[in-house]
Amino acid sequence: LEHNDRAILEGDNDGFVKLISKAGTDTILGATIVAENAGDMISEVSVAMQAGMGLKALSTVIHPYPTQADAIRIAAGGFNKTRLTPGTKRLLKTIISLRN
């Protein structure tokens, strides 16, 4: 939570959000939240799991700003960074170079 604006404003930016997913998918298997408000934050992950939402969908949920719960959206967004494999990156570079 060291980069979460609400946690910084409240002087309570110790902690983290970790989302666990099935390998190679965005299926949420669980979460660990260590923070002052972890009990309030974990319900969002529970609802997402129950509804079958994946990390991709969870990363697009709009959160009020500033809230510590926004850390969940940011953690879920980390999944999108793993999707750009070296092969995909080469393909995108090729497509972009052909357009120029």
Side-chain angles (χ1 to χ4, degrees), residues 6-97:
R6 180 63 176 257
I8 293 168
L9 288 170
E10 292 177 347
D12 186 24
N13 58 341
D14 291 332
F16 63 91
V17 174
K18 181 178 181 179
L19 300 172
I20 298 116
S21 64
K22 185 176 179 182
T25 71
D26 74 338
T27 302
I28 303 168
L29 298 178
T32 301
I33 301 176
V34 177
E36 179 84 22
N37 299 320
D40 296 331
M41 295 166 62
I42 195 69
S43 61
E44 179 177 357
V45 179
S46 299
V47 170
M49 290 173 64
Q50 184 67 31
M53 285 179 69
L55 293 173
K56 184 178 177 185
L58 188 56
S59 71
T60 64
V61 172
I62 298 171
H63 288 79
Y65 178 84
T67 60
Q68 288 190 13
D70 194 46
I72 295 169
R73 181 189 59 82
I74 292 168
F79 168 76
N80 291 325
K81 293 179 183 177
T82 67
R83 295 174 58 205
L84 186 60
T85 63
T88 306
K89 187 175 181 178
R90 280 193 302 276
L91 177 63
L92 288 173
K93 280 185 175 183
T94 302
I95 291 169
I96 291 170
S97 69

